[in-house]
Amino acid sequence: MPHWIALTLTAGLLTAPTAGQPGRQNDFIEAAREFGVPLSVLLGVSYLHSRWDDHGGQPSVSGGYGPMHLVDGAAVPLGSHHEGDPRGDDSRPLLRPLPQPPRAPEDTLRPAARLSGASVALVRRDPRANIRAGAALLASHRVRPGGEPRDWYEAVVRYAGSRGFADEVFSVIREGAARRTDDGSYVRLVPAPDAVPPPPARTPMLGGADEPAARAQGRTECPATLACEWMPAAYARFGKKKHKDYGNHDRVNGSRRIDYIVIHDTEGSYQGIPSMVRNPRYVSWHYTIRSSDGHVAQHVKNRDIAWHAGNWDINARSIGIEHEGYLARGGTWYTEAMYRSSARLVKHLATVHEVPIDRAHVIGHDNVPGTTPSTVPGMHEDPGPYWDWGRFFAMMGAHLKPSGSGSSVIIRPAYDRHRPRYTGCSGRRPAKDCKPHGSSSVWLHTAPSEQAPLVDDIGKRVGADSTYSVYDHSARASTGQRYAVAGRSGDWTAIWYLGQKAWFHNPASAPTAIPAAGPLVTPVKNTVRVYGRAYPEKAAYRASRTRFQRHVPLKYVIRKGQSYSVGTTVAGTFQKAASMNPAHHDLVQGALRYHQIQLGHRLMFVKAKDVRVIG
């Protein structure tokens, strides 16, 4: 531990280092002392917002700056990633999204700067000034006397505008936390197991959406420990003719099978979500999680089909969760509060719907396959290489651990230390290298050398080489994904990937993968076709009014001698939904079996009759 931190644990209390010594820990200690805020409360609030990082002075997706996430409403970037056809169903016309402009968030940067006596510019760019300003703002919200953390509960609610956030702050205080921040400082919050919020005689404050009257009415489907708001998606007809179209999801009578939970990012701010999801001409998803405080809004019932993944087969069997953020800045502002809420929600949904918590079933939008060769290039890339899958799974108690003899591997670099090259984080200069940052992905080469070209993805980058762009996952494998081993050479490991050997650096001194066990498939003929959806055989449609959905292979093939990991095995189904009345829907269930395989960065399907299971 660096000598300037001088942390000492004495009778459960944190002894402050000598005043004037450098380090972010000392910045928190001095600010807490100056404004009379309990150190544990100040550290807990900052940890949930930023994990005590400054993020290079860059604003969050909701316009927050610095370790205390002080919001400048004018700094909120606009935008949305729902382009193309998120419904992904050939049997219905393309739905064209019509996003609405977002509202500006409440400004906390200027009041905090004024209270601390610092300039707005200094509070934006200087972490120490930002911590002081955050402490001053927190102190201004104090509503009851006392110096114990529980006496500051309502102040934390007012600071973040969220009781759910305040509850989570107290969870952090009880658990403790420690990490090295982005300036190299070591910061520690000593666990305080006895820190609890005051009794739940809570009066309504701020009109907070996380005081969920909707939950009391039984509308939301979040776990009881998670603040959740009911913000319903539109379900209405639109167009000049009465029956022209409707949006923005499909309702289901009874229940449906859930095989996947899909992790998205919004590529826009939370302020735009209400107007978007309430627009029947737009698209839908089941939940949105706010970055600043982890607040959750549910839009579509779990039993209903939201239009979110761009692949109707996946939509029909999945729940979609949007996370406020941008994939090119995800490592900066996918906040601790958001990860914790998401992990709690996903674990709950996985338990209720019996979804295995692994990377074959809890997937990114970037893992969803295209439906036909023409749709593959336009499929989405979120949440991107900065989403910390390892930490996310650990939060759900599903730690990625070694197993088996090594016929397959699970990708698992050490996120904070693993800092591969990416380009294009700045839209103005797409060729410029991104700032070094932890990542969950490894690059894949055609040979065991950093100088070897990246492997090509003939489906996504038609006639073009793979790139190091943060938006291009043509030659990437991500944490938690399992691949069959194709070879080893020194510090390099090869996997079967998109029909070819793909090499990644995997030295024993800093491994980026762990040995894994699990079933693999290998072709029983020279070449085997690959599909983006598991649709039934033609005979299954004879007893229905639904037109046969052709089996359209993608451009990829797998060959004899290659092997790929199996995630799940399903019988083909097709959900016909072209009416607002669920009674007119038709579920076609076939006997044709498919194996879901990890072909490349995305999951895909092969017909079980074309392969045999090994391992």
Side-chain angles (χ1 to χ4, degrees):
M1 185 180 301
H3 68 278
W4 61 83
I5 301 299
L7 298 178
T8 306
L9 190 60
T10 306
L13 300 176
L14 183 66
T15 301
T18 304
Q21 291 184 332
R24 193 158 293 170
Q25 180 91 33
N26 196 59
D27 294 340
F28 282 107
I29 291 168
E30 290 185 347
R33 181 185 300 140
E34 179 181 358
F35 293 100
V37 180
L39 177 60
S40 61
V41 172
L42 189 62
L43 285 169
V45 168
S46 178
Y47 186 78
L48 276 189
H49 276 316
S50 68
R51 299 185 81 210
W52 306 320
D53 284 339
D54 175 51
H55 302 309
Q58 296 300 308
S60 75
V61 65
S62 51
Y65 283 86
M68 297 304 297
H69 195 260
L70 296 170
V71 174
D72 180 352
V76 178
L78 308 182
S80 170
H81 80 304
H82 286 290
E83 300 169 355
D85 179 13
R87 184 181 164 91
D89 181 7
D90 297 347
S91 69
R92 280 193 61 182
L94 174 71
L95 181 81
R96 298 195 178 277
L98 298 172
Q100 300 293 317
R103 304 185 308 270
E106 181 183 356
D107 191 304
T108 60
L109 178 69
R110 287 163 183 81
R114 184 174 64 253
L115 288 165
S116 69
S119 70
V120 169
L122 185 65
V123 171
R124 273 202 201 98
R125 72 171 185 268
D126 182 75
R128 183 173 179 272
N130 186 274
I131 293 168
R132 284 189 68 252
L137 184 62
L138 192 55
S140 75
H141 291 315
R142 186 176 183 180
V143 296
R144 59 182 292 178
E148 296 298 317
R150 68 196 309 270
D151 300 321
W152 287 76
Y153 179 85
E154 299 295 348
V156 176
V157 173
R158 291 175 179 272
Y159 184 95
S162 165
R163 291 192 181 279
F165 181 88
D167 290 341
E168 204 63 28
V169 166
F170 275 78
S171 294
V172 172
I173 293 172
R174 289 192 296 273
E175 298 164 4
R179 67 182 297 267
R180 194 168 298 282
T181 61
D182 54 6
D183 70 337
S185 296
Y186 184 84
V187 179
R188 184 181 182 191
L189 168 58
V190 175
D194 296 331
V196 294
R202 301 177 181 172
T203 55
M205 295 182 62
L206 308 176
D210 63 338
E211 292 293 340
R215 187 208 296 279
Q217 298 169 19
R219 293 184 180 178
T220 64
E221 298 168 286
C222 294
T225 56
L226 190 62
C228 196
E229 170 189 5
W230 178 241
M231 185 190 293
Y235 194 63
R237 297 189 188 280
F238 61 87
K240 293 182 179 178
K241 295 181 180 179
K242 184 178 179 181
H243 299 288
K244 185 176 182 181
D245 207 345
Y246 67 90
N248 53 18
H249 58 282
D250 286 293
R251 295 191 174 169
V252 174
N253 279 339
S255 61
R256 66 185 175 113
R257 171 176 171 165
I258 305 297
D259 289 325
Y260 307 106
I261 298 171
V262 184
I263 304 300
H264 301 254
D265 76 47
T266 59
E267 294 297 305
S269 72
Y270 189 88
Q271 281 67 38
I273 297 301
S275 61
M276 291 178 185
V277 80
R278 290 169 179 155
N279 183 351
R281 292 179 178 267
Y282 200 56
V283 298
S284 61
W285 50 97
H286 292 87
Y287 299 88
T288 304
I289 304 181
R290 192 162 58 201
S291 174
S292 62
D293 59 2
H295 174 69
V296 180
Q298 183 175 0
H299 314 296
V300 176
K301 287 288 189 179
N302 294 337
R303 69 170 179 265
D304 295 333
I305 302 173
W307 304 346
H308 63 98
N311 180 316
W312 179 245
D313 184 34
I314 302 297
N315 280 343
R317 298 187 282 129
S318 71
I319 291 173
I321 305 176
E322 290 280 1
H323 298 75
E324 184 186 20
Y326 294 86
L327 74 86
R329 302 206 322 250
T332 305
W333 285 111
Y334 288 150
T335 65
E336 179 72 8
M338 187 164 66
Y339 273 118
R340 291 168 77 102
S341 291
S342 184
R344 194 170 294 167
L345 175 61
V346 171
K347 185 174 182 177
H348 170 75
L349 295 173
T351 300
V352 170
H353 298 284
E354 300 181 337
V355 177
I357 302 179
D358 60 36
R359 288 287 276 116
H361 299 85
V362 180
I363 62 176
H365 197 180
D366 54 349
N367 306 134
V368 175
T371 55
T372 64
S374 64
T375 65
V376 170
M379 295 300 288
H380 288 212
E381 299 88 4
D382 59 294
Y386 296 133
W387 182 263
D388 191 346
W389 287 104
R391 181 157 65 101
F392 186 52
F393 273 66
M395 286 177 168
M396 293 185 281
H399 298 266
L400 302 174
K401 298 179 180 179
S403 64
S405 60
S407 58
S408 60
V409 292
I410 288 176
I411 304 300
R412 198 192 69 176
Y415 181 93
D416 287 333
R417 297 193 301 272
H418 179 65
R419 300 190 167 202
R421 177 195 177 200
Y422 296 107
T423 62
C425 290
S426 171
R428 296 186 298 274
R429 301 178 64 184
K432 183 181 178 182
D433 281 5
C434 302
K435 292 182 178 180
H437 196 282
S439 171
S440 61
S441 295
V442 298
W443 287 113
L444 301 172
H445 297 262
T446 57
S449 168
E450 296 284 2
Q451 284 68 50
L454 297 174
V455 298
D456 286 332
D457 183 339
I458 61 171
K460 181 174 176 62
R461 297 188 58 77
V462 181
D465 295 334
S466 297
T467 72
Y468 285 95
S469 170
V470 71
Y471 296 99
D472 184 3
H473 55 63
S474 303
R476 290 205 302 254
S478 182
T479 292
Q481 293 179 326
R482 182 169 68 91
Y483 295 90
V485 173
R488 290 186 172 89
S489 178
D491 288 341
W492 291 75
T493 299
I495 55 176
W496 290 115
Y497 185 93
L498 297 176
Q500 61 196 306
K501 280 187 178 182
W503 295 86
F504 67 96
H505 195 224
N506 185 28
S509 59
T512 53
I514 55 177
L520 307 172
V521 294
T522 190
V524 297
K525 50 188 181 182
N526 289 335
T527 60
V528 167
R529 293 284 194 175
V530 176
Y531 300 86
R533 50 197 175 185
Y535 276 174
E537 70 281 8
K538 191 171 186 177
Y541 293 80
R542 290 173 183 165
S544 76
R545 303 184 303 274
T546 299
R547 179 173 56 86
F548 169 57
Q549 299 297 300
R550 292 186 307 114
H551 298 172
V552 181
L554 303 178
K555 288 188 175 182
Y556 314 105
V557 296
I558 61 176
R559 296 178 172 82
K560 263 193 173 182
Q562 300 178 3
S563 51
Y564 295 85
S565 69
V566 178
T568 191
T569 300
V570 298
T573 59
F574 174 65
Q575 176 79 50
K576 176 66 174 179
S579 168
M580 282 193 74
N581 185 351
H584 297 163
H585 295 180
D586 186 20
L587 177 61
V588 180
Q589 297 179 296
L592 180 62
R593 293 170 61 248
Y594 292 84
H595 294 304
Q596 173 195 314
I597 64 171
Q598 191 67 60
L599 182 73
H601 187 79
R602 299 186 188 274
L603 60 87
M604 297 182 200
F605 300 95
V606 291
K607 294 177 179 178
K609 64 184 178 63
D610 292 338
V611 297
R612 64 184 176 91
V613 179
I614 58 175

